[in-house]
Amino acid sequence: DTAVSQTPKYLVTQMGNDKSIKCEQNLGHDTMYWYKQDSKKFLKIMFSYNNKELIINETVPNRFSPKSPDKAHLNLHINSLELGDSAVYFCASSPMLGVGNTIYFGEGSWLTVV
Amino acid sequence: GNSVTQMEGPVTLSEEAFLTINCTYTATGYPSLFWYVQYPGEGLQLLLKATKADDKGSNKGFEATYRKETTSFHLEKGSVQVSDSAVYFCALREKGTGTASKLTFGTGTRLQVTL
């Protein structure tokens, strides 16, 4: 009954590979996000989708491509992985409107590029 | 742009000590304010929130009051436990263009509570 679930939780891969992280939410929310947490624990938004439409796209290399097949899913595909991509990636969701609405996070996907 | 500034950690306290983690923000409009907690090896959990000035958010013995005049949202707890050891993130959410509305996080403050 996990609200926001993402897989895999841990991923170790070599430079140059392509990998995907999947995310699903069962909260009925309209908006989903990807955040990146670096080695110093700093959290920064990467993307946001609202009803399958991209609404936030921060300065992220175009090797990162989000895909939202429906409003309950937001997957993150990363091409040509680099060492600097090693981080924890958090998926999140929230109701569409209202800045007071809580954003709910998944448990994170720990990506290590070697 | 929006920003959140938190006190640098780590903060090390003995069990039952009083906790304050300072958080100040810069925003152009009227944001909502949040505290999230990240326990070791886990994801982010909402701890508490406040959506307008003078609101007090509270949960699990933690409290924070939205102070518009000082643009602050300091986190407090009267008596910490070892199980409170975690990283605490202050964050704000302000309406962006259209429906875009993201969380802007502070850098996080690590709390270590010892017996």
Side-chain angles (χ1 to χ4, degrees):
Chain A
D1 60 345
T2 305
V4 182
S5 59
Q6 43 184 121
T7 54
K9 182 163 184 176
Y10 299 102
L11 181 57
V12 181
T13 188
Q14 291 188 325
M15 280 174 53
N17 284 351
D18 303 338
K19 290 294 176 186
S20 292
I21 306 172
K22 295 186 177 181
C23 178
E24 176 181 5
Q25 54 95 3
N26 62 5
L27 296 166
H29 290 163
D30 295 301
T31 307
M32 296 185 71
Y33 309 81
W34 278 107
Y35 280 81
K36 180 181 179 180
Q37 185 176 46
D38 63 22
S39 58
K40 296 184 179 178
K41 297 286 190 184
F42 186 66
L43 280 151
K44 190 165 187 224
I45 190 166
M46 300 172 69
F47 302 103
S48 176
Y49 270 73
N50 183 54
N51 277 324
K52 303 191 295 176
E53 181 185 349
L54 181 66
I55 55 171
I56 294 175
N57 185 353
E58 296 289 296
T59 308
V60 176
N62 59 14
R63 298 182 294 104
F64 291 78
S65 53
K67 285 189 172 49
S68 182
D70 56 62
K71 76 173 192 177
H73 295 84
L74 180 62
N75 304 322
L76 183 65
H77 189 75
I78 315 171
N79 289 327
S80 303
L81 279 155
E82 300 178 356
L83 293 176
D85 298 331
S86 296
V88 185
Y89 292 85
F90 286 101
C91 179
S93 74
S94 74
M96 183 179 72
L97 297 176
V99 296
N101 286 327
T102 299
I103 296 181
Y104 295 87
F105 286 82
E107 294 192 342
S109 294
W110 271 253
L111 172 65
T112 302
V113 182
V114 296
Chain B
N2 299 334
S3 66
V4 177
T5 302
Q6 286 181 240
M7 61 189 290
E8 283 203 26
V11 173
T12 303
L13 295 173
S14 299
E15 203 170 41
E16 299 184 3
F18 184 86
L19 168 71
T20 300
I21 299 178
N22 289 339
C23 171
T24 57
Y25 67 89
T26 302
T28 52
Y30 300 96
S32 292
L33 301 173
F34 302 81
W35 277 100
Y36 281 82
V37 58
Q38 186 176 25
Y39 297 102
E42 296 187 14
L44 290 160
Q45 301 174 28
L46 177 70
L47 182 58
L48 54 84
K49 72 177 186 182
T51 57
K52 61 183 188 296
D54 300 324
D55 269 1
K56 178 186 283 189
S58 61
N59 185 25
K60 300 180 182 179
F62 290 89
E63 292 184 340
T65 301
Y66 188 160
R67 301 281 188 206
K68 191 165 180 288
E69 64 276 13
T70 54
T71 60
S72 65
F73 193 52
H74 304 321
L75 183 67
E76 296 182 336
K77 186 174 185 182
S79 176
V80 293
Q81 306 299 312
V82 172
S83 57
D84 294 326
S85 298
V87 180
Y88 292 82
F89 293 91
C90 185
L92 70 81
R93 191 176 186 194
E94 187 174 42
K95 187 173 173 62
T97 56
T99 58
S101 177
K102 63 186 183 185
L103 274 174
T104 300
F105 285 93
T107 51
T109 302
R110 183 180 298 279
L111 170 65
Q112 179 107 22
V113 181
T114 58
L115 289 170

